[in-house]
Amino acid sequence: ISMSAWKFVEGSVTQMYAPWYGWMPGLGESTWWNYSQDELDELTKKALNGMCLNEQDYWDTLREAVKLSIQEAVRVFAVTELSYYPTSKRTTGIAYDVGSGLGSRWVFQTAQTPDNKLKVLQYSSVGSLFMGAFNTIDGLEDVYANYLYRPVRDYATWSHPGEGVPIPVRVTFDVEKKFHFEGEDLIGELDVPSDYVVYDSAANEWVEVGSGVKAVSKVTYDYLFSNWHNGMPMTMEDIKYCIAHVYEWSYEDEEGDKYYNANYGMGTSETLDRIKGIKFVDEDTLEIYGDFQHPASDDLIADYFAFWPDLPWPIYEASDYLVAIHGPKSGTDYDYSDREGTTQFDLLVEMHVEDMREALQRFWQKGQLPPAMDITVDEAKAAYQACIDWIDAHGHCFISNGPFYMDLYDPANMYCVLKAFRDPTYPFEPEYWTERLTLARSVIDSVDIPASVKVGDDIPVKVKVTNKIEYPDAREEPAEVAYVDVYLKDASDNVLYSGKAALKTAGNFEITIPGSKTANLSAGAYTVEVKAAYKEGGYPDLRKTQVILSQVTEESPTPTPAVTTAAPTEAPEEGMSTTTIVGIVVVIIIIVALVYFFTKKK
């Protein structure tokens, strides 16, 4: 079930079909039988990791992956489900998602009610609020948990609800790229400075990359920090810990490494392997060099390498202790995954929370310092204490940095209360996203082209477009802003010409396919395809119209009738008329016949 609109679907195709990602039979668990399909893995890794030559290659690769997946028929989608979300009249202003309706995190951030209270009911088939464990390493795999998880945490970027492309949330970014392909190999041309670092999870330290390292792209991130929900300020040290923690749990540094989760590493290691260097520039700026490009959008490059922590580092330190060692109070053997013989860790379960508090208390007493960070003992103790105080006040360990915080969790009554985080350090006012999110689409009303033209002639194309605004204020208007692309295609769907139609008057766009593009074509039927989108790269409306190209017939001059002069008839010899000659011939014939008759009789 999609919980957000995504225009580019390599993630969904990989998740639902590719064995390497860990969502197919076996789930990547090493002690179980696992479905494998090398070609599917190769195709999805190519699309997901920026190895496509261009946008056409990108879509062709995904089509081939889906085709192969259907043929394999391990996971088959038999129906398209249309979900209906009832809302009361007291709730207005919802920025719904074109992919998931009210299943989007934007709903909580934009909904308005007279008393500023939003009541939400959800149905779970297992008779509880969630179907799985509430942990961020190998939990949160059901939609019900994510309905509450996503509004409570923030993200570096998130998908626009109407356009399906990543937009900045807690970072702004700038992308550089320089590369070429050698065959199917992506070759970076950017020089990575030698003092940039990556995290060595075996040595538990940041190490310089050294000289001679090249990269495909570079992303500069500027962070919008705030306080955590427990009142502690976020800093670049949180980003350091976040990145190091991903490295730590993604790689098995030695056999039996307790700080490694295979299911988690299946997805994250693909990104980490492509990071060529990191620099923590100042208190809110980060630079990452990496081997990734996306043929359709630089925003997807920024999204690919973006890091943003969802939990304070002391919570991770404590939960790692529970999983790698045991519960310090209960003695329980925990695991981030659902494995036989262990208890899957959950940030909300009472016994787990008690063990977490005990671990945090011990860390406070020791003044434990994480190796990836550059902080003092006093700073570490303050962070531990803030988490302990939160647990005492709220009874759970889900502390984050988003627009809402989890004030109360009551599993017995399947009840949860989220409250708006109105801390003055939080960067977004309540109306911020309502004012900036627009749900709109351009609709093609008509396409006017000649039914037929001669080979070598221009093809004039006139398009009428209406913009339908659905959020924040519903209205329709002749399009004054739209991106109208026109293509001429042959019967095999090959593009013979493409261009952008120009706005002439409100709602009217025009373009002429030049005769030079039709001059060398054969006579026959061709397709003029028109796409109109409200924003460049947005979801387009599509219209196809046929045009007939006819062969040019050269006009020949009217032939002048040939004047034939008849040869003169030879005059009969003088003294003998034609009648006389005919009579003589007849007499001769009669005489011959009589002679033959009498001779025969004898």
Side-chain angles (χ1 to χ4, degrees), residues 46-284:
K46 176 183 176 181
L48 193 68
N49 294 320
M51 304 302 291
C52 296
L53 299 173
N54 48 49
E55 189 168 355
Q56 185 63 48
D57 184 35
Y58 165 83
W59 289 113
D60 288 345
T61 299
L62 289 177
R63 288 189 189 98
E64 188 63 29
V66 172
K67 177 182 176 181
L68 181 58
S69 301
I70 294 172
Q71 292 171 344
E72 289 283 291
V74 177
R75 174 175 280 130
V76 178
F77 291 91
V79 298
T80 296
E81 180 185 12
L82 299 178
S83 299
Y84 293 87
Y85 294 88
T87 61
S88 68
K89 293 181 179 180
R90 69 188 299 272
T91 304
T92 59
I94 295 176
Y96 66 89
D97 188 286
V98 297
S100 63
L102 301 190
S104 165
R105 73 184 299 267
W106 297 115
V107 169
F108 287 77
Q109 291 176 261
T110 57
Q112 300 171 17
T113 63
D115 58 0
N116 293 324
K117 293 181 179 179
L118 180 67
K119 296 180 180 179
V120 181
L121 299 177
Q122 71 174 23
Y123 171 77
S124 173
S125 59
V126 297
S128 63
L129 278 177
F130 314 126
M131 293 177 65
F134 214 92
N135 81 66
T136 61
I137 299 297
D138 196 27
L140 291 165
E141 293 187 341
D142 62 290
V143 295
Y144 309 107
N146 278 282
Y147 283 147
L148 295 177
Y149 169 70
R150 292 182 176 181
V152 172
R153 65 156 299 180
D154 254 339
Y155 293 81
T157 65
W158 193 250
S159 174
H160 188 285
E163 298 165 19
V165 295
I167 59 174
V169 180
R170 294 297 289 267
V171 298
T172 57
F173 50 79
D174 180 67
V175 177
E176 301 175 40
K177 58 185 179 182
K178 189 176 182 182
F179 62 91
H180 67 276
F181 279 93
E182 293 182 3
E184 294 187 353
D185 295 328
L186 180 63
I187 309 298
E189 298 179 16
L190 295 175
D191 292 314
V192 181
S194 60
D195 61 344
Y196 279 50
V197 297
V198 293
Y199 191 72
D200 184 338
S201 58
N204 291 321
E205 62 182 4
W206 296 98
V207 296
E208 293 185 353
V209 300
S211 59
V213 179
K214 298 280 189 178
V216 169
S217 55
K218 172 190 175 184
V219 187
T220 301
Y221 299 95
D222 287 304
Y223 283 88
L224 296 173
F225 289 131
S226 67
N227 287 340
W228 291 95
H229 291 160
N230 63 5
M232 291 300 295
M234 296 183 69
T235 70
M236 188 57 75
E237 295 302 319
D238 290 289
I239 304 301
K240 285 183 182 178
Y241 185 93
C242 171
I243 298 173
H245 193 262
V246 177
Y247 273 95
E248 185 65 67
W249 285 91
S250 298
Y251 295 109
E252 188 174 21
D253 299 322
E254 58 186 7
E255 187 175 354
D257 184 1
K258 293 183 178 181
Y259 293 87
Y260 166 68
N261 185 281
N263 295 354
Y264 180 69
M266 278 184 178
T268 55
S269 61
E270 288 290 324
T271 299
L272 298 180
D273 289 345
R274 283 164 174 74
I275 293 178
K276 298 303 178 183
I278 301 170
K279 183 176 183 179
F280 304 97
V281 179
D282 55 35
E283 68 276 2
D284 61 3

Side-chain angles (χ1 to χ4, degrees), residues 398-452:
F398 185 25
I399 308 166
S400 197
N401 47 41
F404 295 87
Y405 65 91
M406 187 178 286
D407 183 56
L408 174 66
Y409 173 62
D410 183 358
N413 293 302
M414 294 187 288
Y415 179 66
C416 183
V417 176
L418 305 184
K419 289 186 177 180
F421 185 51
R422 298 292 189 231
D423 190 277
T425 65
Y426 190 69
F428 307 123
E429 295 293 330
E431 299 82 14
Y432 181 88
W433 293 110
T434 301
E435 295 171 353
R436 284 163 177 78
L437 294 176
T438 300
L439 296 182
R441 56 194 175 96
S442 295
V443 177
I444 299 172
D445 299 317
S446 65
V447 175
D448 182 18
I449 63 172
S452 65

Side-chain angles (χ1 to χ4, degrees), residues 299-373:
D299 293 346
L300 291 162
I301 300 175
D303 180 70
Y304 186 85
F305 288 121
F307 288 93
W308 179 260
D310 50 1
L311 298 172
W313 65 264
I315 296 297
Y316 274 123
E317 281 288 287
S319 61
D320 288 354
Y321 180 87
L322 267 61
V323 169
I325 311 301
H326 57 73
K329 186 174 182 179
S330 69
T332 302
D333 290 327
Y334 291 100
D335 199 303
Y336 282 125
S337 300
D338 183 12
R339 291 196 174 96
E340 188 176 354
T342 64
T343 299
Q344 189 173 17
F345 173 71
D346 194 308
L347 290 163
L348 306 178
V349 174
E350 183 177 1
M351 181 184 73
H352 305 201
V353 174
E354 291 176 356
D355 277 330
M356 287 285 288
R357 190 190 189 286
E358 179 64 25
L360 289 165
Q361 187 65 46
R362 293 184 183 186
F363 294 161
W364 181 91
Q365 291 171 346
K366 292 193 303 181
Q368 179 167 313
L369 296 175
M373 303 175 72

Side-chain angles (χ1 to χ4, degrees), residues 32-47:
W32 298 348
W33 175 86
N34 278 266
Y35 164 69
S36 63
Q37 222 295 343
D38 293 342
E39 187 177 356
L40 258 178
D41 285 349
E42 181 180 341
L43 288 168
T44 51
K45 285 183 179 182
K46 176 183 176 181

